[in-house]
Structures are given as structure tokens and as C-alpha cells.
Amino acid sequence: MRLALLGCGTVGSEVVRLLHEQSADLAARIGAPLEIAGIAVRRVGRDRGDLPVDPALFTTDPLGLIKRDDIDVVVEVVGGIEPARGWLVEALRAGKSVVTANKALLAEDGAALHDAAAEGGADLYYEASVAGAIPLLRPLRDSLHGDRINRVTGIVNGTTNFILSAMDATGAGFAEALEEATELGYAEADPTADVEGFDAAAKAAILASLAFHTRVTAADVHREGITEVTAADVASARAMGCTIKLLCIAARGADAAGRETVSVRVHPAMIPLTHPLASVGDAFNAVFVEAEAAGQLMFYGRGAGGAPTASAVLGDVVAVARNRLAGARAASESAYADLAVRPMGEALTRYHISLDVADRPGVLEAVAGVFARHEVSIATVRQGPAGGGPAGRGSDAELVIVTHVAPDAALAATVRELRGLDIVGSVTSVLRVEGGQ
Ligand code: NDP
Ligand code: HSE
């Protein structure tokens, strides 16, 4: 089995290392030796340390490598939309099996890859694209195909989980924690993709597509990152017996006419410390799957980093290599359900809102009136000393309000109106709350 490796960075170099260290075992498992026929990179002359590979294999011509007649499997660990899309479409149409970790591309235009795979009769595997080392996509696309999945909730970005865990546990600053996550090889080439939630949104789209048999793209996912989560938010969560996580939530629902829909969102949220996802720290990922017959399943493990991701890539390589030897191909994409994606405003959520207000009669009534006007029910109210409102507005108390479940649009409108009230010095924190009653 001859393999073209596109990319030899954090993940690619570990693919090379593992292939070298385990070549005999991999050959035995596949039933044929596995050989790297070429490695496409951007800079052939780059120092790659003691990587166990013949330097003559490096090339800056990925397309030339893919088109070679002796290539059976193309492994893409470069990332980004173009030129990766062109390479993979070319390989799949030519009937070569493709293994990729490129969630950005799968979420932007997975359809192009699936269509090319169907056209070329080739395999397209992408286990490493979501939650690193965790076997998650294969269970969704194979093991759970006899069941009906209702909801997927997870922590799917290692970098942001590393940052939030550090802010919570040690009080570390955002910038310092991001720098460490980048040094450890967790962050994307442009870490904005991590901290602004783009990476998690891409993974959410892939998960929702598989779970609900529907093509969901990154553009369908409501996305908020963690750049606005402050130390005060983290402390506020602690005071409530909660922690803050960047969650991806994909769920079935129904529209006003009763037609089945899906909603897919990524945003920071407070979850109770007793929730199993609360103890997922460092760069670990965890994903809860709720299925009709299976009930609750939880998948946990390393979601980022060279070696963990390479483990998932190699698992796929073994699978596609076996298929080729058997003259077989995995089942095609399953998108028959074609459910509509519901707008975020209709998603049912709960909010935790902190505001600095004037401490005088009638204030609580006025604040409660805003919630009532938007038909948002208040679950708890706590009043304490002010966090510090603007001078001259008499802000001298802090109100912390947690709501019951309501449509997100109603909650957002409530916050907008609160911000305009005279008696409100400032709305200091707005966070969604998940995983409670
Ligand atoms: P890196 O930036 O570390 O490596 C990218 C590699 O691609 C480098 O070897 C680079 O070459 C090569 N490359 C870049 N542009 C080109 C080009 N135009 N032509 C040929 N080669 C090119 O990325 P990662 O290894 O971190 O990530 C790779 C993929 O895996 C991405 O899709 C990422 O989202 C995904 N992924 C990453 C995880 C992680 O933890 N890092 C986890 C899960 C998925 P050179 O070496 O010469 O610079
Ligand atoms: N940057 C990604 C993360 C890599 O931090 O989760 C794994 O997909």
C-alpha cells in the first residue's frame, strides 16, 4: 500500500513517526506493507529534527504526487480550504482513498468531497477531524446507525478547553494560556479559529451531519468564541457551583408546523460542577451522545496534539487500506434526512445575567418587568454589593439573575432592554447555562 502524505507539521510528523515505529504491526494488520511514497510540504529545506524518513521523499508538488499511478492512499494533514479541496477532489475522483484531518474543509464543503468519493468509488475517512484521538465519527457513522440520535453535546476544542481550565484552576490570564496551548501544538495555524469558535463550529457541523443524516455546514452553526469570557465570569460561575466550557450542542427539534429540524450551536456556557463535562480539563475533549435506544454515551480523550491526532489518522489509514485490499469501499455519506436547520433565536436556552443596578425601591420590580415583557421566567435572583457601575448613576448593588429555559431571541431581547434602563449601571456578564434542570 503506497501512501502520499500531504503535510508534515505537528500531525504529519507524528504520522511519519508512528508509521516507522509500527510498520511491522501495521503491515500484519492490513495484510500488506504500508510505505510512504512521498511527502508534500511547503518548505523542503525545513529542519525536521530526527524524523525517521528519507529526505528524498519531500516535494513541494502535492498534485504531482497525488497523480502518480503508484499512490493508493492520500493522507491530508495540511489544513485550510484551498488548495486542499482541489487536491482531495482530484485524488478521490481518481479512485484513491483519502484520509484527512481537515475539519475546516469538511465543514465548508464536505459535499464536494463526498460527491468526488462517490464519483471515484473511493473511501473518504476523517476520524481525526473531530476530537483528535477519540473514536467518535466511526461510532456515529457505523455503530449507531441502528439507533436514532437526539442530541450531541460536547467539548470539541482542546485549545479553548486548555485556556478555560487554566483560567478556572490557576487564575491564569487568557493570553498566557493561549501561548502555552500554541507551544504544545494544540492550536490551529491561526489560533483565532480556536478562540473565536470557528474550529468548534466546523466540528459541530461534522457531528451534526453524521448524527442527523443531514448536510450541515459551518455556516449553519451559531458560533460564539471565548474571547469575551472574563475572570469575573469565571468567578461568577464558581460562586454558582459551575464552571465555564465552550460547548458544541447539536439537537433535534421541531418548527412551528411540527416539522423536524436540527439546531447546531457553539458558545461558552456555565455548567454545574457536578456535570460530567465539568471535569474535562486541559486539552481533553468529551462528547455526550444521547440516542433513543442506547441512552447516554460519553466519549472522552485527547482532542488535540500531534501524536493523539496521528493515532486517529493511522486508524483510518488501516481501515481504507484493508478496504482497498478487499476491493471494497465503506458506505457512502448518509444525508437522506435533509432536515432544516433552525435559527439560533428559536433555540431553547437559559441565561445567567449579572447587572450593576441602583439600590433603591422599585428597581427589582422594574428589572423583573423587563423579563416578564419578553415572557422569560426568572428562576433565581441574588442581590449583593455592587461590582462597580458608572459614576453618577447610583449603581450600588449587583443583581445576579438565572432564568428558566426560553427562546434565545427572547433572552437576547431582554438583555438589550436591560442595558437601556436608567437604573442599570451596566450588564456585567451574560452567559448561557446548560446541563442543569
Ligand atoms: P501544521 O501547521 O503543523 O502543519 C501543516 C503542514 O502542511 C506543514 O508540514 C506544511 O509544510 C504543510 N503545508 C502548508 N501549506 C502547504 C502547501 N501549500 N503545500 C504543501 N504543504 C503545505 O498543521 P497541523 O499538523 O497542526 O494540522 C494539520 C491538519 O490537521 C489541519 O487540518 C488541522 O486542523 C488538523 N488537526 C490538527 C490537530 C492538532 O492538534 N494540531 C488536531 C486535529 C486536526 P512545512 O512543514 O514545510 O511548513
Ligand atoms: N486546534 C484544535 C483544538 C486541534 O485545539 O482542538 C484539534 O482539532
Side-chain angles (χ1 to χ4, degrees):
M1 258 322 127
R2 289 170 66 78
L3 191 146
L5 179 63
L6 314 183
C8 192
T10 304
V11 180
S13 57
E14 288 302 320
V15 169
V16 171
R17 210 178 296 283
L18 285 179
L19 261 169
H20 176 77
E21 286 167 7
Q22 303 188 21
S23 66
D25 281 334
L26 291 171
R29 286 173 206 163
I30 292 167
L34 198 57
E35 188 189 328
I36 299 182
I39 305 176
V41 291
R42 195 173 28 191
R43 296 158 290 171
V44 167
R46 180 180 171 186
D47 177 12
R48 297 181 197 274
D50 59 353
L51 203 63
V53 70
D54 178 356
L57 290 179
F58 286 101
T59 171
T60 51
D61 180 14
L63 212 49
L65 177 60
I66 292 164
K67 284 181 171 169
R68 271 170 47 179
D69 289 340
D70 62 335
I71 298 297
D72 299 295
V73 179
V74 174
V75 175
E76 186 266 315
V77 280
V78 169
I81 309 301
E82 290 294 358
R85 172 169 42 198
W87 301 335
L88 299 192
V89 165
E90 171 79 29
L92 290 162
R93 282 195 184 140
K96 300 180 183 189
S97 311
V98 163
V99 172
T100 177
N102 193 337
K103 55 262 170 155
L105 173 56
L106 284 155
E108 163 96 9
D109 197 8
L113 302 188
H114 286 294
D115 290 349
E119 204 179 307
D123 269 339
L124 170 64
Y125 275 52
Y126 43 97
E127 183 65 68
S129 65
V130 182
I134 308 173
L136 174 63
L137 303 194
R138 224 91 66 81
L140 289 180
R141 95 183 204 180
D142 293 331
S143 324
L144 286 163
H145 258 202
D147 208 334
R148 177 185 158 87
I149 296 171
N150 289 323
R151 188 178 165 99
V152 178
T153 311
I155 295 170
V156 291
N157 182 268
T159 303
T160 47
N161 203 48
F162 184 89
I163 295 171
L164 291 173
S165 302
M167 285 171 78
D168 190 302
T170 65
F174 181 92
E176 173 196 348
L178 172 58
E179 202 180 315
E180 205 181 335
T182 305
E183 273 164 24
L184 289 166
Y186 302 149
E188 294 302 301
D190 174 4
T192 312
D194 296 296
V195 298
E196 294 291 1
F198 291 101
D199 178 77
K203 291 164 175 169
I206 295 169
L207 289 174
S209 300
L210 290 172
F212 306 126
H213 306 274
T214 290
R215 280 183 174 171
V216 178
T217 68
D220 295 322
V221 181
H222 173 86
R223 174 198 54 79
E224 292 169 34
I226 63 161
T227 48
E228 282 171 22
V229 175
T230 61
D233 290 333
V234 173
S236 212
R238 275 271 148 192
M240 288 252 309
C242 291
T243 187
I244 300 175
K245 296 289 183 190
L246 183 69
L247 293 186
C248 119
I249 300 167
R252 283 187 198 270
D255 64 14
R259 282 183 299 258
E260 193 164 47
T261 57
V262 292
S263 67
V264 194
R265 52 194 162 107
V266 164
H267 54 70
M270 287 171 59
I271 53 172
L273 290 170
T274 49
H275 192 284
L277 289 178
S279 57
V280 177
D282 202 68
F284 280 86
N285 285 186
V287 178
F288 254 142
V289 177
E290 293 167 55
E292 203 84 37
Q296 292 186 334
L297 305 160
M298 183 153 162
F299 299 82
Y300 171 83
R302 289 207 173 273
T309 309
S311 160
V313 169
L314 275 183
D316 280 357
V317 168
V318 170
V320 301
R322 280 181 180 153
N323 286 350
R324 278 187 94 78
L325 280 179
R329 177 179 176 244
S332 302
E333 176 198 25
S334 172
Y336 70 91
D338 198 20
L339 302 178
V341 180
R342 215 156 42 140
M344 180 61 187
E346 292 175 18
L348 297 176
T349 61
R350 295 166 66 210
Y351 273 23
H352 169 282
I353 304 160
S354 306
L355 26 148
D356 283 350
V357 295
D359 192 6
R360 58 178 150 84
V363 166
L364 207 52
E365 186 188 9
V367 167
V370 175
F371 283 82
R373 266 195 296 287
H374 294 282
E375 296 185 29
V376 172
S377 170
I378 294 173
T380 62
V381 182
R382 182 164 52 84
Q383 180 172 329
R393 294 179 99 173
S395 302
D396 49 16
E398 183 191 48
L399 282 183
V400 178
I401 297 170
V402 181
T403 71
H404 285 298
V405 163
D408 198 77
L411 287 159
T414 305
V415 172
R416 267 197 307 278
E417 191 175 335
L418 286 173
R419 285 202 162 105
L421 284 190
D422 248 12
I423 47 159
V424 174
S426 62
V427 177
T428 51
S429 159
V430 179
L431 279 165
R432 294 189 183 85
V433 184
E434 295 288 336
Q437 41 84 25

